[in-house]
Amino acid sequence: MDRCVVLVDAGYLLGAAASLLAGDPSRSRVTVDHTALITALRERAEAETGLPLLRIYWFDAAPDRRPMPEHRRLRVLPRVTVRLGALTRAEGRWVQKGVDAAMHAELSELARNRACADVVLITGDGDLLPGMMSAKEHGVVVHLWALQAADGDFNQSEDLVGEADERRVLDREWIEGSFSLRESATVFPAPGARQEIAKILAAPPAAAPLPAPLPAGVPAAVAPAAPASAPAGPAGTPAGAPAADGRPQPPAALKVVPTPKDLAGRVAATPGAHAVNGHGPLGHPAAHGPANGHAPAAANGHAHGPTGPVLRWSSDRGWVDRPTPEPAVTAGDSLPTLAQLTTSEQRWADREEDITTIGGDAHEVGQVFARRWSDRLGDVERLTVLWPDYPRIPHRVDGELLRYAARFGLLAHKDDQIDEHDRYAIRAGFWKELAARVPGGSMVVDD
């Protein structure tokens, strides 16, 4: 059959391009214009072989063989077929499984069925040598393409080079037509402490006030309990009070953080504190109360609960729970989510844009989400309520933003931990886009 086929090892192609342009084989260092790349491969293959293109096979790996955003964009392009192997982690690095075997099987099958006359191989792996030899035995002309190496040497197996019928090198100029260096994502700025909070934290602790003298005739039994944090002198003498010999005692250091014993003492001194299972708040027998261990009921029929700080006490003698604080609710939490503002037609268009246009960079993903949200909200003035809480994103919107980013393979587990750098970049892109659209944003969001 007088047609040509191109088989691309994506790991080799993207890694070699990154090495040449960025000096680092990491694929994340370069951005690929997939439409321009496929067009350039097709034109170059047809010009080199003099035959029309049958198909371009793109071989790559992905976790669980699930297509990533770039794979979804590639497979909708004309004359492109994507074949995925598994991407697994071994000894601290990512390893492809099944990619070479898939290329070998496809090459042998094409040659055996005489589906093409010429095959263009873009790879550097010597494991494809048996497949190349088998294709030649079936009368197929094998063209081996290499990318210009960063060090000027071969970046392919010498056995492959020696077995190929034709060999070409794709130089820097050709590579730069489809590849470009990726700009480093903006790191989410760490919010500084607000001025009033910083003053509070920097202020020295205030001295505990001395108790007021009791009026004449008031018994000491009904006097209010002294603060638990007030230090005491020797033999229970309050700090600063004169000792038995008349000399004043030096004040002790102020306790800033009360101990559990202090908190328990506050509860014991609180009027109406109820006994638990016949014991007081500290597990001691209740001084007064019914035999069943319940606190005496008030006049309205309800038991008096503790009014001061509550110690969480867990033992075989009782249990006291600290009340659960209510979550803070801000004005931004009342805003609708993107899902609530999106129609079914818009949802379909969003998916199409994600596949064909959005590159999947973390910063870009945050900007796209913010653009859609602000456009569909209509009245951008409503978004001004977000600025007092910057850099906090409303909880529901933030969860929706991270779920959207997960479509692009972001937030994937790396070394068994979620990549926090991607999260910062996603949120930074979100705020940067809103700052350009919502009044007052440029005064709040720092670049």
Side-chain angles (χ1 to χ4, degrees):
M1 187 71 67
D2 292 339
R3 294 177 296 189
C4 69
V5 172
V6 179
L7 275 62
V8 180
D9 181 351
Y12 167 78
L13 175 64
L14 302 180
S19 296
L20 181 62
L21 300 182
D24 183 351
S26 175
R27 296 164 54 162
S28 61
R29 297 296 304 276
V30 293
T31 300
V32 187
D33 184 343
H34 291 96
T35 302
L37 176 60
I38 294 301
T39 301
L41 288 174
R42 178 173 184 170
E43 294 175 351
R44 182 73 177 255
E46 290 180 342
E48 293 277 345
T49 63
L51 301 174
L53 177 73
L54 171 62
R55 192 174 297 115
I56 295 176
Y57 289 90
W58 186 274
F59 294 89
D60 204 357
D64 299 326
R65 289 186 168 87
R66 294 181 179 178
M68 304 292 282
E70 62 181 281
H71 304 140
R72 293 197 295 268
R73 288 192 294 273
L74 281 165
R75 67 186 183 183
V76 298
L77 296 177
R79 301 293 184 97
V80 177
T81 297
V82 176
R83 297 280 189 260
L84 293 179
L87 188 63
T88 59
R89 197 161 185 83
E91 299 180 357
R93 62 189 185 92
W94 292 106
V95 179
Q96 295 183 359
K97 296 291 185 182
V99 176
D100 297 337
M103 290 188 69
H104 180 282
E106 196 70 51
L107 178 58
S108 300
E109 194 70 14
L110 289 169
R112 186 180 303 111
N113 293 328
R114 301 187 182 278
C116 59
D118 291 50
V119 170
V120 174
L121 281 178
I122 304 178
T123 185
D125 197 338
D127 291 342
L128 279 178
L129 182 61
M132 179 187 289
M133 297 172 64
S134 175
K136 291 175 63 178
E137 291 173 358
H138 285 86
V140 175
V141 178
V142 179
H143 303 253
L144 183 64
W145 289 3
L147 270 72
Q148 180 180 336
D151 56 4
D153 200 356
F154 285 151
N155 52 11
Q156 291 177 308
S157 165
E158 291 188 10
D159 293 333
L160 282 182
V161 174
E163 190 68 26
D165 295 310
E166 300 284 348
R167 184 173 183 266
R168 295 289 182 271
V169 177
L170 306 177
D171 58 14
R172 176 186 286 269
E173 182 180 357
W174 186 92
I175 295 171
E176 290 177 344
S178 307
F179 293 84
S180 60
L181 284 175
R182 174 172 293 177
E183 297 180 0
S184 58
T186 303
V187 178
F188 190 71
R194 294 185 178 180
Q195 185 175 5
E196 61 272 17
I197 297 178
K199 289 181 179 179
I200 293 173
L201 295 177
L210 295 176
L214 296 176
V218 178
V222 297
S229 59
T237 304
D245 57 2
R247 290 180 297 177
Q249 298 294 324
L254 179 67
K255 292 183 181 178
V256 179
V257 180
T259 65
K261 183 178 179 180
D262 297 333
L263 291 176
R266 295 182 188 180
V267 177
T270 303
H274 61 277
V276 180
N277 297 332
H279 297 82
L282 292 180
H284 300 293
H288 301 284
N292 60 5
H294 296 287
N300 57 4
H302 298 285
H304 293 286
T307 57
V310 179
L311 173 67
R312 185 182 181 94
W313 187 267
S314 174
S315 71
D316 57 348
R317 293 178 290 184
W319 179 281
V320 178
D321 267 324
R322 177 178 288 122
T324 303
E326 294 293 331
V329 179
T330 63
D333 292 315
S334 63
L335 293 172
T337 62
L338 178 61
Q340 295 171 333
L341 300 170
T342 303
T343 64
S344 56
E345 292 81 5
Q346 289 172 328
R347 190 175 297 109
W348 184 91
D350 290 346
R351 295 291 291 183
E352 187 71 15
E353 182 183 15
D354 292 342
I355 293 173
T356 58
T357 306
I358 308 304
D361 175 74
H363 200 267
E364 179 189 12
V365 166
Q367 288 183 295
V368 171
F369 183 93
R371 169 174 58 80
R372 292 174 181 171
W373 189 42
S374 59
D375 286 346
R376 290 167 195 175
L377 189 62
D379 183 11
V380 295
E381 294 284 346
R382 295 176 61 187
L383 295 177
T384 56
V385 299
L386 298 175
W387 302 137
D389 298 320
Y390 172 83
R392 178 188 179 272
I393 300 176
H395 179 70
R396 292 187 305 158
V397 177
D398 187 54
E400 190 179 38
L401 169 61
L402 297 180
R403 288 192 298 272
Y404 172 67
R407 297 182 190 174
F408 298 89
L410 301 173
L411 311 181
H413 286 272
K414 300 174 182 178
D415 297 326
D416 298 327
Q417 293 182 356
I418 294 178
D419 191 350
E420 290 297 327
H421 180 80
D422 284 347
R423 288 189 178 225
Y424 292 148
I426 292 165
R427 290 168 175 147
F430 174 87
W431 284 114
K432 183 177 181 180
E433 185 68 18
L434 286 187
R437 293 169 168 267
V438 181
S442 58
M443 301 174 60
V444 178
V445 181
D446 298 327
D447 291 335

